[in-house]
Amino acid sequence: MNIFVLYGGKSAEHDVSIISAYNILKEVYYQYYTATPIYITREGQWMRKATITSVDDVPTHAAMTEDLEPFSIEALKVDDSIVFPVLHGPNGEDGTMQGLFEVMDIPYVGCGVLASSTGMDKIVSKVLFDAAGIPILPYEAVTPAEWQAKKYEVITRVELNLLYPVYVKPANLGSSVGISEVKNTDELIEAIDLAFEYDHRVLVDQGIEAREVEIAVLGNDDVNVSVVGELVKDTQFYDYKAKYESNDVGLRIPAQLEDETVSRIKKYAADAFLATDGSGLMRADFFVTADNDIFINEVNTFPGFTPISMYPKLWEATGLSYGDLIEELIQLGLRRHKSRQMSSMKDR
């Protein structure tokens, strides 16, 4: 079987995607598979590298965007293959790419259209979490029209309903891109302006003094959760640079939490997976206060697979190696595709 590993893409998380794909390619079980790296440029052009038949063929990280030739999307539709979309952010993780695979009837790894789109949108996902009974923090959503026409009404609404500090985020990005910690009115205006450079809707989240923990989810109809891990950092807020460049964030796996707190986090993570119609994989992020109150922050339907990424490390700590995790994700994608094909046949 051949695995088409897609990476790059048009989002602001382009570089993170390349790192993730490189690490995944090193862990594929090449005794069973070949892998064809497909690089999507920042402009959206699809390019391919030579097919990999052993771990010795995996290019260096720097060479992931070199020695390429044009690739036709139709070439994805070949027998005995699966697509592994290692794409973060819009135009990759938000349901658009998944919709393409569904239309072409191609098996692929990860969440489907609904989970990808709702999980990517921080505003919509909060509505779903709230409806599922998962505790969320107060928030305000801002649209471009109201920001342009009623800027000071928006500021008043935010300051009336939320307390500083707040966190301003593009509704549809991850990896801390475009996110700001805000402590006053002037910073609020600057942060919302910045967030609108990345997305057409903006979320203003209530800040909270709490520990940040994450948990990995794996499965289709059967939901499996990992141990809980904690982000260990010197400051309350850490940005893209701290996450991926300076490595200022440490990981504590497993997190030091009471058993009852861990049980609730695991339940909420499974509930979030089901509420968004998750399949394949998901990482759920939570806040835990000193009083052990738990609030879901967000979910990530294709979390990072870099050397410092929490998702694969959580599964390693749970007893599933990186290579076995990749294999399980492939098998979950194949099983979901087969199940949907059978359902489609019944509809006819």
Side-chain angles (χ1 to χ4, degrees):
M1 175 172 285
N2 184 64
I3 308 167
F4 290 104
V5 179
L6 274 57
Y7 61 98
K10 296 170 66 176
S11 87
E13 299 176 73
H14 180 100
D15 293 338
V16 179
S17 170
I18 297 173
I19 300 171
S20 292
Y22 168 69
N23 283 278
I24 287 171
L25 285 169
K26 292 194 300 181
E27 298 293 339
V28 169
Y29 289 152
Y30 289 103
Q31 62 267 43
Y32 306 114
Y33 304 101
T34 58
T36 304
I38 307 296
Y39 173 57
I40 303 176
T41 69
R42 296 182 188 274
E43 295 72 35
Q45 184 177 8
W46 292 48
M47 309 289 289
R48 65 162 288 169
K49 289 185 68 66
T51 294
I52 299 168
T53 59
S54 77
V55 69
D56 295 331
D57 297 336
V58 176
T60 64
H61 173 251
M64 290 287 285
T65 58
E66 300 173 351
D67 300 321
L68 303 163
E69 59 183 51
F71 179 79
S72 171
I73 296 175
E74 289 78 7
L76 292 175
K77 193 171 176 60
V78 294
D79 292 338
D80 206 23
S81 67
I82 188 170
V83 175
F84 205 129
V86 191
L87 299 165
H88 304 306
N91 298 305
E93 191 184 349
D94 61 352
T96 51
M97 195 67 70
Q98 290 73 18
L100 171 66
F101 303 145
E102 293 287 351
V103 169
M104 296 181 69
D105 194 27
I106 295 172
Y108 61 95
V109 169
C111 286
V113 176
L114 179 60
S116 297
S117 58
T118 57
M120 186 84 257
D121 192 301
K122 296 178 176 65
I123 297 171
V124 172
S125 59
K126 281 182 178 291
V127 174
L128 293 176
F129 300 151
D130 191 35
I134 307 170
I136 62 171
L137 289 168
Y139 69 95
E140 292 292 331
V142 185
T143 65
E146 62 180 341
W147 184 240
Q148 292 171 9
K150 303 175 181 179
K151 178 178 296 187
Y152 291 100
E153 290 184 18
V154 171
I155 294 170
T156 299
R157 187 180 81 224
V158 170
E159 294 182 336
L160 181 65
N161 296 326
L162 307 177
L163 298 174
Y164 290 116
V166 297
Y167 292 87
V168 178
K169 312 172 183 180
N172 285 277
L173 271 181
S175 299
S176 295
V177 176
I179 298 181
S180 304
E181 181 182 39
V182 170
K183 299 177 181 178
N184 55 55
T185 302
D186 290 341
E187 290 181 358
L188 179 64
I189 294 171
E190 292 178 6
I192 293 177
D193 284 337
L194 172 65
F196 273 126
E197 293 180 13
Y198 292 96
D199 196 18
H200 69 287
R201 290 192 307 155
V202 168
L203 173 70
V204 184
D205 247 337
Q206 175 63 63
I208 186 174
E209 188 173 335
R211 299 162 66 181
E212 293 187 47
V213 302
E214 300 180 347
I215 185 169
V217 187
L218 184 68
N220 287 338
D221 295 328
D222 54 328
V223 184
N224 303 282
V225 293
S226 70
V227 299
V228 179
E230 181 177 2
L231 301 177
V232 182
K233 53 193 189 301
D234 296 330
T235 60
Q236 183 70 15
F237 173 63
Y238 64 107
D239 57 12
Y240 178 94
K241 182 177 180 181
K243 269 188 175 181
Y244 297 107
E245 296 178 8
S246 59
N247 197 15
D248 290 339
V249 182
L251 307 180
R252 182 181 291 124
I253 305 173
Q256 297 175 3
L257 296 167
E258 295 179 4
D259 290 345
E260 191 273 337
T261 302
V262 171
S263 295
R264 282 192 290 149
I265 291 171
K266 288 184 175 183
K267 179 183 183 303
Y268 289 149
D271 290 345
F273 189 78
L274 295 172
T276 56
D277 192 33
S279 57
L281 73 164
M282 183 177 288
R283 194 193 71 224
D285 303 347
F286 294 88
F287 297 116
V288 179
T289 70
D291 295 328
N292 287 322
D293 292 324
I294 301 169
F295 301 94
I296 191 167
N297 179 25
E298 62 186 27
V299 296
N300 191 316
T301 57
F302 203 96
F305 276 79
T306 74
I308 61 172
S309 292
M310 181 73 93
Y311 188 86
K313 288 183 176 295
L314 287 170
W315 282 117
E316 285 178 343
T318 308
L320 188 65
S321 70
Y322 201 127
D324 286 347
L325 173 60
I326 300 305
E327 174 64 17
E328 181 64 18
L329 289 171
I330 291 169
Q331 294 303 320
L332 285 168
L334 291 171
R335 288 201 294 270
R336 184 191 59 193
H337 181 70
K338 183 177 180 180
S339 175
R340 293 191 177 186
Q341 282 186 318
M342 294 176 64
S343 296
S344 178
M345 291 176 63
K346 290 179 182 178
D347 291 341
R348 299 192 189 102

